[in-house]
């Protein structure tokens, strides 16, 4: 039988998934007001809490000495040490994703809302200045998940998989799938991995969006993402966690309900079961899937 993990402590809060860096744990939380919160990662002791403007929030991002938070209408930066707000920028209106930082530039997107279409942004994080902003066509689908950035491309999922130029936000290519895509894109070694609402995992080339391979894995939870490590691909769906080689060969399947995005360690992959009636976390052997 597998070992039972020891629980060091817990907090009852309405919060985003946590982000841990240098001994601190960061979340966005819904209390009397919406806030970004820092705690000691080992003890849970509160370090600071700062209000976030602009409605619903995404997962916080650590960028050097800043914490970046995207909400429905704002993109904000906070000091990691004390939570002081450094700057705030207006970004239109729509469900937030999670910013990705590359070379001191934050790339982010928000979903469509009322008359606002899905938009993609680039901000210089030192000064907070907008470098470019691209609006998608009105008939494009809403944003699912967050952006991915790799080798001069920004990738989003909005029905199709769409790639933009990091330099100016121009659209480079888009790949239409059999069903609208639902997950945050994962990029590794020249390949983008996305699962559509029909349950098909796609591996497409970063340079032009052409198909490398596909696999039928079942419907994913919206906004989750695949993980890639050491030539292996891990993807969770509403029925299982799958492992593939980066050539598309199936390695194993671990059955569970409503799998979360799976973090990967040296010999273990971790996955949450987030269903209404089944809530658990599993540590699964990378070799064999036990």
């Amino acid at each position: 039988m597998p070992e039972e993990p020891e629980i060091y402590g817990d907090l009852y809060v309405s919060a985003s998934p946590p982000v841990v860096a240098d001994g601190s744990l960061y979340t966005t939380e819904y209390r009397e007001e919406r806030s970004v919160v820092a705690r000691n990662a080992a003890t849970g002791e509160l370090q600071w809490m700062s209000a976030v403007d602009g409605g619903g929030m995404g997962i916080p991002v650590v960028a050097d000495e800043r914490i970046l938070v995207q909400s429905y209408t704002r993109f904000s930066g906070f000091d990691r040490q004390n939570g002081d707000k450094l700057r705030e920028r207006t970004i239109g209106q729509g469900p937030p994703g999670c910013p990705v930082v590359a070379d001191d530039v934050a790339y982010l997107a928000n979903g469509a809302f009322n008359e606002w279409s899905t938009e993609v942004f680039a901000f210089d994080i030192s000064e907070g200045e907008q470098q470019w902003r691209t609006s998608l066509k009105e008939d494009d689908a809403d944003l699912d998940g967050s952006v991915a950035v790799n080798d001069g491309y920004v990738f989003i999922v909005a029905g199709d998989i769409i790639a933009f130029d990091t330099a100016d936000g121009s659209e480079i290519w888009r790949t239409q799938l059999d069903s609208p895509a639902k997950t945050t894109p994962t990029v590794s070694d020249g390949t983008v991995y996305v699962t559509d609402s029909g349950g098909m995992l796609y591996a497409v080339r970063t340079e032009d969006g052409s198909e490398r391979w596909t696999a039928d894995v079942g419907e994913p939870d919206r906004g989750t993402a695949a993980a890639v490590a050491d030539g292996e691909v891990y993807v969770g769906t509403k029925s299982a966690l799958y492992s593939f080689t980066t050539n598309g060969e199936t390695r194993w399947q671990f059955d569970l309900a409503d799998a979360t995005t799976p973090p990967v360690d040296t010999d273990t992959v971790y996955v949450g079961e987030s269903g209404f009636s089944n809530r658990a976390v599993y540590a699964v052997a990378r070799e064999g899937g036990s």
Side-chain angles (χ1 to χ4, degrees), residues 33-68:
E33 59 182 5
R34 294 177 171 89
S35 304
V36 57
V37 181
R39 292 187 174 87
N40 183 296
T43 66
E45 181 183 358
L46 181 67
Q47 295 174 330
W48 53 259
M49 179 185 303
S50 295
V52 177
D53 298 321
M57 306 168 291
I59 300 170
V61 172
V62 177
D64 296 328
E65 295 307 310
R66 303 173 182 84
I67 298 295
L68 307 178

PDB file of all heavy atoms in Angstrom, residues 33-68:
ATOM      1  N   GLU A  33     -12.152  41.731   0.587  1.00  0.00           N
ATOM      2  CA  GLU A  33     -11.710  42.314  -0.667  1.00  0.00           C
ATOM      3  C   GLU A  33     -10.767  41.323  -1.342  1.00  0.00           C
ATOM      4  O   GLU A  33     -10.238  40.409  -0.712  1.00  0.00           O
ATOM      5  CB  GLU A  33     -10.991  43.655  -0.433  1.00  0.00           C
ATOM      6  CG  GLU A  33      -9.766  43.557   0.451  1.00  0.00           C
ATOM      7  CD  GLU A  33      -9.121  44.903   0.688  1.00  0.00           C
ATOM      8  OE1 GLU A  33      -9.682  45.918   0.232  1.00  0.00           O
ATOM      9  OE2 GLU A  33      -8.045  44.941   1.316  1.00  0.00           O
ATOM     10  N   ARG A  34     -10.567  41.495  -2.636  1.00  0.00           N
ATOM     11  CA  ARG A  34      -9.648  40.614  -3.373  1.00  0.00           C
ATOM     12  C   ARG A  34      -8.221  41.024  -3.076  1.00  0.00           C
ATOM     13  O   ARG A  34      -7.885  42.210  -3.129  1.00  0.00           O
ATOM     14  CB  ARG A  34      -9.942  40.689  -4.860  1.00  0.00           C
ATOM     15  CG  ARG A  34     -11.308  40.122  -5.246  1.00  0.00           C
ATOM     16  CD  ARG A  34     -11.569  40.304  -6.729  1.00  0.00           C
ATOM     17  NE  ARG A  34     -12.774  39.590  -7.156  1.00  0.00           N
ATOM     18  CZ  ARG A  34     -13.990  40.104  -7.134  1.00  0.00           C
ATOM     19  NH1 ARG A  34     -14.167  41.348  -6.695  1.00  0.00           N
ATOM     20  NH2 ARG A  34     -15.027  39.396  -7.539  1.00  0.00           N
ATOM     21  N   SER A  35      -7.367  40.033  -2.796  1.00  0.00           N
ATOM     22  CA  SER A  35      -6.012  40.348  -2.342  1.00  0.00           C
ATOM     23  C   SER A  35      -5.000  39.377  -2.931  1.00  0.00           C
ATOM     24  O   SER A  35      -5.324  38.235  -3.269  1.00  0.00           O
ATOM     25  CB  SER A  35      -5.918  40.286  -0.807  1.00  0.00           C
ATOM     26  OG  SER A  35      -6.860  41.132  -0.189  1.00  0.00           O
ATOM     27  N   VAL A  36      -3.738  39.839  -2.995  1.00  0.00           N
ATOM     28  CA  VAL A  36      -2.609  38.949  -3.195  1.00  0.00           C
ATOM     29  C   VAL A  36      -1.938  38.797  -1.838  1.00  0.00           C
ATOM     30  O   VAL A  36      -1.784  39.773  -1.100  1.00  0.00           O
ATOM     31  CB  VAL A  36      -1.635  39.482  -4.270  1.00  0.00           C
ATOM     32  CG1 VAL A  36      -1.119  40.879  -3.950  1.00  0.00           C
ATOM     33  CG2 VAL A  36      -0.457  38.533  -4.452  1.00  0.00           C
ATOM     34  N   VAL A  37      -1.577  37.552  -1.476  1.00  0.00           N
ATOM     35  CA  VAL A  37      -1.152  37.241  -0.116  1.00  0.00           C
ATOM     36  C   VAL A  37       0.174  36.485  -0.147  1.00  0.00           C
ATOM     37  O   VAL A  37       0.374  35.595  -0.989  1.00  0.00           O
ATOM     38  CB  VAL A  37      -2.218  36.392   0.609  1.00  0.00           C
ATOM     39  CG1 VAL A  37      -1.793  36.088   2.036  1.00  0.00           C
ATOM     40  CG2 VAL A  37      -3.573  37.110   0.604  1.00  0.00           C
ATOM     41  N   ALA A  38       1.087  36.850   0.776  1.00  0.00           N
ATOM     42  CA  ALA A  38       2.352  36.132   0.941  1.00  0.00           C
ATOM     43  C   ALA A  38       2.388  35.495   2.320  1.00  0.00           C
ATOM     44  O   ALA A  38       2.035  36.139   3.313  1.00  0.00           O
ATOM     45  CB  ALA A  38       3.529  37.091   0.770  1.00  0.00           C
ATOM     46  N   ARG A  39       2.802  34.223   2.375  1.00  0.00           N
ATOM     47  CA  ARG A  39       2.941  33.514   3.644  1.00  0.00           C
ATOM     48  C   ARG A  39       4.285  32.793   3.689  1.00  0.00           C
ATOM     49  O   ARG A  39       4.883  32.503   2.652  1.00  0.00           O
ATOM     50  CB  ARG A  39       1.823  32.476   3.811  1.00  0.00           C
ATOM     51  CG  ARG A  39       0.440  33.058   3.996  1.00  0.00           C
ATOM     52  CD  ARG A  39      -0.556  31.934   4.312  1.00  0.00           C
ATOM     53  NE  ARG A  39      -1.876  32.482   4.642  1.00  0.00           N
ATOM     54  CZ  ARG A  39      -2.811  32.764   3.757  1.00  0.00           C
ATOM     55  NH1 ARG A  39      -2.576  32.551   2.474  1.00  0.00           N
ATOM     56  NH2 ARG A  39      -3.970  33.258   4.130  1.00  0.00           N
ATOM     57  N   ASN A  40       4.731  32.487   4.888  1.00  0.00           N
ATOM     58  CA  ASN A  40       5.868  31.598   5.051  1.00  0.00           C
ATOM     59  C   ASN A  40       5.448  30.218   4.543  1.00  0.00           C
ATOM     60  O   ASN A  40       4.468  29.647   5.010  1.00  0.00           O
ATOM     61  CB  ASN A  40       6.277  31.536   6.523  1.00  0.00           C
ATOM     62  CG  ASN A  40       7.494  30.674   6.744  1.00  0.00           C
ATOM     63  OD1 ASN A  40       7.465  29.474   6.513  1.00  0.00           O
ATOM     64  ND2 ASN A  40       8.573  31.291   7.212  1.00  0.00           N
ATOM     65  N   ALA A  41       6.201  29.674   3.581  1.00  0.00           N
ATOM     66  CA  ALA A  41       5.787  28.418   2.957  1.00  0.00           C
ATOM     67  C   ALA A  41       5.833  27.241   3.919  1.00  0.00           C
ATOM     68  O   ALA A  41       5.074  26.282   3.771  1.00  0.00           O
ATOM     69  CB  ALA A  41       6.663  28.138   1.739  1.00  0.00           C
ATOM     70  N   ALA A  42       6.698  27.303   4.928  1.00  0.00           N
ATOM     71  CA  ALA A  42       6.831  26.184   5.866  1.00  0.00           C
ATOM     72  C   ALA A  42       5.793  26.214   6.977  1.00  0.00           C
ATOM     73  O   ALA A  42       5.299  25.175   7.412  1.00  0.00           O
ATOM     74  CB  ALA A  42       8.230  26.185   6.472  1.00  0.00           C
ATOM     75  N   THR A  43       5.434  27.411   7.433  1.00  0.00           N
ATOM     76  CA  THR A  43       4.550  27.529   8.595  1.00  0.00           C
ATOM     77  C   THR A  43       3.169  28.074   8.273  1.00  0.00           C
ATOM     78  O   THR A  43       2.252  27.964   9.081  1.00  0.00           O
ATOM     79  CB  THR A  43       5.189  28.459   9.645  1.00  0.00           C
ATOM     80  OG1 THR A  43       5.259  29.801   9.109  1.00  0.00           O
ATOM     81  CG2 THR A  43       6.592  27.987  10.001  1.00  0.00           C
ATOM     82  N   GLY A  44       3.014  28.735   7.120  1.00  0.00           N
ATOM     83  CA  GLY A  44       1.748  29.368   6.788  1.00  0.00           C
ATOM     84  C   GLY A  44       1.558  30.731   7.422  1.00  0.00           C
ATOM     85  O   GLY A  44       0.514  31.375   7.243  1.00  0.00           O
ATOM     86  N   GLU A  45       2.559  31.216   8.161  1.00  0.00           N
ATOM     87  CA  GLU A  45       2.444  32.520   8.821  1.00  0.00           C
ATOM     88  C   GLU A  45       2.324  33.639   7.783  1.00  0.00           C
ATOM     89  O   GLU A  45       3.075  33.698   6.814  1.00  0.00           O
ATOM     90  CB  GLU A  45       3.670  32.768   9.698  1.00  0.00           C
ATOM     91  CG  GLU A  45       3.637  34.100  10.442  1.00  0.00           C
ATOM     92  CD  GLU A  45       4.897  34.337  11.240  1.00  0.00           C
ATOM     93  OE1 GLU A  45       5.789  33.445  11.239  1.00  0.00           O
ATOM     94  OE2 GLU A  45       4.997  35.395  11.864  1.00  0.00           O
ATOM     95  N   LEU A  46       1.365  34.541   8.011  1.00  0.00           N
ATOM     96  CA  LEU A  46       1.127  35.648   7.091  1.00  0.00           C
ATOM     97  C   LEU A  46       2.322  36.597   7.070  1.00  0.00           C
ATOM     98  O   LEU A  46       2.800  37.029   8.117  1.00  0.00           O
ATOM     99  CB  LEU A  46      -0.137  36.408   7.513  1.00  0.00           C
ATOM    100  CG  LEU A  46      -0.536  37.582   6.625  1.00  0.00           C
ATOM    101  CD1 LEU A  46      -0.976  37.110   5.240  1.00  0.00           C
ATOM    102  CD2 LEU A  46      -1.653  38.395   7.287  1.00  0.00           C
ATOM    103  N   GLN A  47       2.798  36.931   5.882  1.00  0.00           N
ATOM    104  CA  GLN A  47       3.877  37.909   5.724  1.00  0.00           C
ATOM    105  C   GLN A  47       3.335  39.264   5.296  1.00  0.00           C
ATOM    106  O   GLN A  47       3.716  40.283   5.830  1.00  0.00           O
ATOM    107  CB  GLN A  47       4.904  37.376   4.712  1.00  0.00           C
ATOM    108  CG  GLN A  47       5.626  36.128   5.195  1.00  0.00           C
ATOM    109  CD  GLN A  47       6.528  35.505   4.139  1.00  0.00           C
ATOM    110  OE1 GLN A  47       6.264  35.594   2.935  1.00  0.00           O
ATOM    111  NE2 GLN A  47       7.603  34.873   4.582  1.00  0.00           N
ATOM    112  N   TRP A  48       2.448  39.272   4.300  1.00  0.00           N
ATOM    113  CA  TRP A  48       1.775  40.510   3.916  1.00  0.00           C
ATOM    114  C   TRP A  48       0.549  40.194   3.065  1.00  0.00           C
ATOM    115  O   TRP A  48       0.395  39.080   2.569  1.00  0.00           O
ATOM    116  CB  TRP A  48       2.698  41.482   3.191  1.00  0.00           C
ATOM    117  CG  TRP A  48       3.459  40.974   1.988  1.00  0.00           C
ATOM    118  CD1 TRP A  48       4.769  40.599   1.952  1.00  0.00           C
ATOM    119  CD2 TRP A  48       2.966  40.802   0.652  1.00  0.00           C
ATOM    120  NE1 TRP A  48       5.114  40.196   0.676  1.00  0.00           N
ATOM    121  CE2 TRP A  48       4.029  40.323  -0.140  1.00  0.00           C
ATOM    122  CE3 TRP A  48       1.736  41.019   0.046  1.00  0.00           C
ATOM    123  CZ2 TRP A  48       3.904  40.044  -1.501  1.00  0.00           C
ATOM    124  CZ3 TRP A  48       1.591  40.738  -1.318  1.00  0.00           C
ATOM    125  CH2 TRP A  48       2.667  40.266  -2.081  1.00  0.00           C
ATOM    126  N   MET A  49      -0.325  41.180   2.938  1.00  0.00           N
ATOM    127  CA  MET A  49      -1.541  41.057   2.143  1.00  0.00           C
ATOM    128  C   MET A  49      -1.821  42.409   1.497  1.00  0.00           C
ATOM    129  O   MET A  49      -1.793  43.434   2.175  1.00  0.00           O
ATOM    130  CB  MET A  49      -2.715  40.642   3.038  1.00  0.00           C
ATOM    131  CG  MET A  49      -4.049  40.512   2.310  1.00  0.00           C
ATOM    132  SD  MET A  49      -5.419  40.168   3.460  1.00  0.00           S
ATOM    133  CE  MET A  49      -4.828  38.671   4.248  1.00  0.00           C
ATOM    134  N   SER A  50      -2.073  42.431   0.188  1.00  0.00           N
ATOM    135  CA  SER A  50      -2.330  43.688  -0.515  1.00  0.00           C
ATOM    136  C   SER A  50      -3.558  43.552  -1.406  1.00  0.00           C
ATOM    137  O   SER A  50      -3.762  42.514  -2.056  1.00  0.00           O
ATOM    138  CB  SER A  50      -1.124  44.080  -1.383  1.00  0.00           C
ATOM    139  OG  SER A  50      -0.005  44.357  -0.576  1.00  0.00           O
ATOM    140  N   ALA A  51      -4.379  44.584  -1.435  1.00  0.00           N
ATOM    141  CA  ALA A  51      -5.607  44.568  -2.230  1.00  0.00           C
ATOM    142  C   ALA A  51      -5.281  44.608  -3.721  1.00  0.00           C
ATOM    143  O   ALA A  51      -4.333  45.252  -4.159  1.00  0.00           O
ATOM    144  CB  ALA A  51      -6.483  45.761  -1.863  1.00  0.00           C
ATOM    145  N   VAL A  52      -6.102  43.886  -4.497  1.00  0.00           N
ATOM    146  CA  VAL A  52      -5.990  43.853  -5.957  1.00  0.00           C
ATOM    147  C   VAL A  52      -7.259  44.439  -6.551  1.00  0.00           C
ATOM    148  O   VAL A  52      -8.365  44.004  -6.214  1.00  0.00           O
ATOM    149  CB  VAL A  52      -5.778  42.417  -6.466  1.00  0.00           C
ATOM    150  CG1 VAL A  52      -5.739  42.392  -7.995  1.00  0.00           C
ATOM    151  CG2 VAL A  52      -4.487  41.826  -5.905  1.00  0.00           C
ATOM    152  N   ASP A  53      -7.107  45.406  -7.425  1.00  0.00           N
ATOM    153  CA  ASP A  53      -8.262  46.038  -8.078  1.00  0.00           C
ATOM    154  C   ASP A  53      -8.592  45.319  -9.384  1.00  0.00           C
ATOM    155  O   ASP A  53      -7.757  44.645  -9.978  1.00  0.00           O
ATOM    156  CB  ASP A  53      -7.955  47.504  -8.380  1.00  0.00           C
ATOM    157  CG  ASP A  53      -7.678  48.306  -7.118  1.00  0.00           C
ATOM    158  OD1 ASP A  53      -8.371  48.060  -6.114  1.00  0.00           O
ATOM    159  OD2 ASP A  53      -6.770  49.159  -7.147  1.00  0.00           O
ATOM    160  N   GLY A  54      -9.851  45.492  -9.827  1.00  0.00           N
ATOM    161  CA  GLY A  54     -10.182  45.071 -11.183  1.00  0.00           C
ATOM    162  C   GLY A  54     -10.923  43.761 -11.313  1.00  0.00           C
ATOM    163  O   GLY A  54     -10.963  43.178 -12.390  1.00  0.00           O
ATOM    164  N   GLY A  55     -11.558  43.251 -10.238  1.00  0.00           N
ATOM    165  CA  GLY A  55     -12.382  42.056 -10.363  1.00  0.00           C
ATOM    166  C   GLY A  55     -11.606  40.766 -10.200  1.00  0.00           C
ATOM    167  O   GLY A  55     -10.548  40.732  -9.574  1.00  0.00           O
ATOM    168  N   GLY A  56     -12.160  39.681 -10.773  1.00  0.00           N
ATOM    169  CA  GLY A  56     -11.585  38.347 -10.622  1.00  0.00           C
ATOM    170  C   GLY A  56     -10.119  38.285 -10.999  1.00  0.00           C
ATOM    171  O   GLY A  56      -9.667  38.958 -11.925  1.00  0.00           O
ATOM    172  N   MET A  57      -9.348  37.442 -10.287  1.00  0.00           N
ATOM    173  CA  MET A  57      -7.886  37.417 -10.421  1.00  0.00           C
ATOM    174  C   MET A  57      -7.409  36.063 -10.914  1.00  0.00           C
ATOM    175  O   MET A  57      -8.051  35.037 -10.701  1.00  0.00           O
ATOM    176  CB  MET A  57      -7.237  37.694  -9.061  1.00  0.00           C
ATOM    177  CG  MET A  57      -7.693  38.958  -8.385  1.00  0.00           C
ATOM    178  SD  MET A  57      -7.149  39.024  -6.647  1.00  0.00           S
ATOM    179  CE  MET A  57      -8.157  37.722  -5.913  1.00  0.00           C
ATOM    180  N   GLY A  58      -6.232  36.081 -11.552  1.00  0.00           N
ATOM    181  CA  GLY A  58      -5.565  34.856 -11.943  1.00  0.00           C
ATOM    182  C   GLY A  58      -4.530  34.448 -10.906  1.00  0.00           C
ATOM    183  O   GLY A  58      -4.480  34.981  -9.796  1.00  0.00           O
ATOM    184  N   ILE A  59      -3.679  33.498 -11.262  1.00  0.00           N
ATOM    185  CA  ILE A  59      -2.625  33.009 -10.370  1.00  0.00           C
ATOM    186  C   ILE A  59      -1.487  34.026 -10.346  1.00  0.00           C
ATOM    187  O   ILE A  59      -1.091  34.550 -11.396  1.00  0.00           O
ATOM    188  CB  ILE A  59      -2.106  31.656 -10.873  1.00  0.00           C
ATOM    189  CG1 ILE A  59      -3.246  30.634 -10.908  1.00  0.00           C
ATOM    190  CG2 ILE A  59      -0.969  31.132  -9.995  1.00  0.00           C
ATOM    191  CD1 ILE A  59      -2.885  29.341 -11.614  1.00  0.00           C
ATOM    192  N   PRO A  60      -0.915  34.348  -9.166  1.00  0.00           N
ATOM    193  CA  PRO A  60       0.195  35.309  -9.118  1.00  0.00           C
ATOM    194  C   PRO A  60       1.450  34.728  -9.773  1.00  0.00           C
ATOM    195  O   PRO A  60       1.637  33.510  -9.834  1.00  0.00           O
ATOM    196  CB  PRO A  60       0.404  35.538  -7.616  1.00  0.00           C
ATOM    197  CG  PRO A  60      -0.132  34.301  -6.972  1.00  0.00           C
ATOM    198  CD  PRO A  60      -1.266  33.841  -7.824  1.00  0.00           C
ATOM    199  N   VAL A  61       2.305  35.632 -10.250  1.00  0.00           N
ATOM    200  CA  VAL A  61       3.543  35.243 -10.923  1.00  0.00           C
ATOM    201  C   VAL A  61       4.714  35.932 -10.230  1.00  0.00           C
ATOM    202  O   VAL A  61       4.656  37.135  -9.945  1.00  0.00           O
ATOM    203  CB  VAL A  61       3.503  35.648 -12.412  1.00  0.00           C
ATOM    204  CG1 VAL A  61       4.853  35.429 -13.074  1.00  0.00           C
ATOM    205  CG2 VAL A  61       2.422  34.851 -13.133  1.00  0.00           C
ATOM    206  N   VAL A  62       5.776  35.177  -9.952  1.00  0.00           N
ATOM    207  CA  VAL A  62       6.992  35.741  -9.373  1.00  0.00           C
ATOM    208  C   VAL A  62       7.932  36.129 -10.498  1.00  0.00           C
ATOM    209  O   VAL A  62       8.270  35.305 -11.354  1.00  0.00           O
ATOM    210  CB  VAL A  62       7.682  34.722  -8.445  1.00  0.00           C
ATOM    211  CG1 VAL A  62       8.983  35.300  -7.903  1.00  0.00           C
ATOM    212  CG2 VAL A  62       6.756  34.329  -7.306  1.00  0.00           C
ATOM    213  N   ALA A  63       8.347  37.404 -10.525  1.00  0.00           N
ATOM    214  CA  ALA A  63       9.271  37.906 -11.539  1.00  0.00           C
ATOM    215  C   ALA A  63      10.335  38.740 -10.839  1.00  0.00           C
ATOM    216  O   ALA A  63      10.100  39.911 -10.520  1.00  0.00           O
ATOM    217  CB  ALA A  63       8.528  38.742 -12.587  1.00  0.00           C
ATOM    218  N   ASP A  64      11.487  38.138 -10.568  1.00  0.00           N
ATOM    219  CA  ASP A  64      12.556  38.798  -9.816  1.00  0.00           C
ATOM    220  C   ASP A  64      12.011  39.269  -8.465  1.00  0.00           C
ATOM    221  O   ASP A  64      11.533  38.459  -7.695  1.00  0.00           O
ATOM    222  CB  ASP A  64      13.153  39.946 -10.637  1.00  0.00           C
ATOM    223  CG  ASP A  64      13.831  39.455 -11.912  1.00  0.00           C
ATOM    224  OD1 ASP A  64      14.377  38.336 -11.890  1.00  0.00           O
ATOM    225  OD2 ASP A  64      13.791  40.177 -12.912  1.00  0.00           O
ATOM    226  N   GLU A  65      12.048  40.552  -8.206  1.00  0.00           N
ATOM    227  CA  GLU A  65      11.586  41.080  -6.917  1.00  0.00           C
ATOM    228  C   GLU A  65      10.147  41.571  -6.969  1.00  0.00           C
ATOM    229  O   GLU A  65       9.712  42.317  -6.104  1.00  0.00           O
ATOM    230  CB  GLU A  65      12.509  42.208  -6.453  1.00  0.00           C
ATOM    231  CG  GLU A  65      13.930  41.752  -6.159  1.00  0.00           C
ATOM    232  CD  GLU A  65      13.955  40.583  -5.174  1.00  0.00           C
ATOM    233  OE1 GLU A  65      13.310  40.686  -4.121  1.00  0.00           O
ATOM    234  OE2 GLU A  65      14.612  39.569  -5.465  1.00  0.00           O
ATOM    235  N   ARG A  66       9.393  41.128  -7.971  1.00  0.00           N
ATOM    236  CA  ARG A  66       8.005  41.555  -8.123  1.00  0.00           C
ATOM    237  C   ARG A  66       7.067  40.358  -8.088  1.00  0.00           C
ATOM    238  O   ARG A  66       7.425  39.260  -8.475  1.00  0.00           O
ATOM    239  CB  ARG A  66       7.805  42.297  -9.452  1.00  0.00           C
ATOM    240  CG  ARG A  66       8.687  43.511  -9.654  1.00  0.00           C
ATOM    241  CD  ARG A  66       8.527  44.049 -11.077  1.00  0.00           C
ATOM    242  NE  ARG A  66       9.394  45.189 -11.312  1.00  0.00           N
ATOM    243  CZ  ARG A  66      10.664  45.100 -11.677  1.00  0.00           C
ATOM    244  NH1 ARG A  66      11.219  43.911 -11.852  1.00  0.00           N
ATOM    245  NH2 ARG A  66      11.391  46.184 -11.884  1.00  0.00           N
ATOM    246  N   ILE A  67       5.835  40.638  -7.645  1.00  0.00           N
ATOM    247  CA  ILE A  67       4.725  39.704  -7.812  1.00  0.00           C
ATOM    248  C   ILE A  67       3.763  40.360  -8.799  1.00  0.00           C
ATOM    249  O   ILE A  67       3.319  41.495  -8.584  1.00  0.00           O
ATOM    250  CB  ILE A  67       3.999  39.426  -6.481  1.00  0.00           C
ATOM    251  CG1 ILE A  67       4.955  38.778  -5.480  1.00  0.00           C
ATOM    252  CG2 ILE A  67       2.787  38.525  -6.715  1.00  0.00           C
ATOM    253  CD1 ILE A  67       5.452  37.417  -5.876  1.00  0.00           C
ATOM    254  N   LEU A  68       3.445  39.659  -9.878  1.00  0.00           N
ATOM    255  CA  LEU A  68       2.551  40.183 -10.904  1.00  0.00           C
ATOM    256  C   LEU A  68       1.198  39.495 -10.786  1.00  0.00           C
ATOM    257  O   LEU A  68       1.134  38.271 -10.633  1.00  0.00           O
ATOM    258  CB  LEU A  68       3.137  39.944 -12.292  1.00  0.00           C
ATOM    259  CG  LEU A  68       4.568  40.448 -12.517  1.00  0.00           C
ATOM    260  CD1 LEU A  68       5.043  40.088 -13.925  1.00  0.00           C
ATOM    261  CD2 LEU A  68       4.665  41.954 -12.283  1.00  0.00           C
TER     262      LEU A  68
END
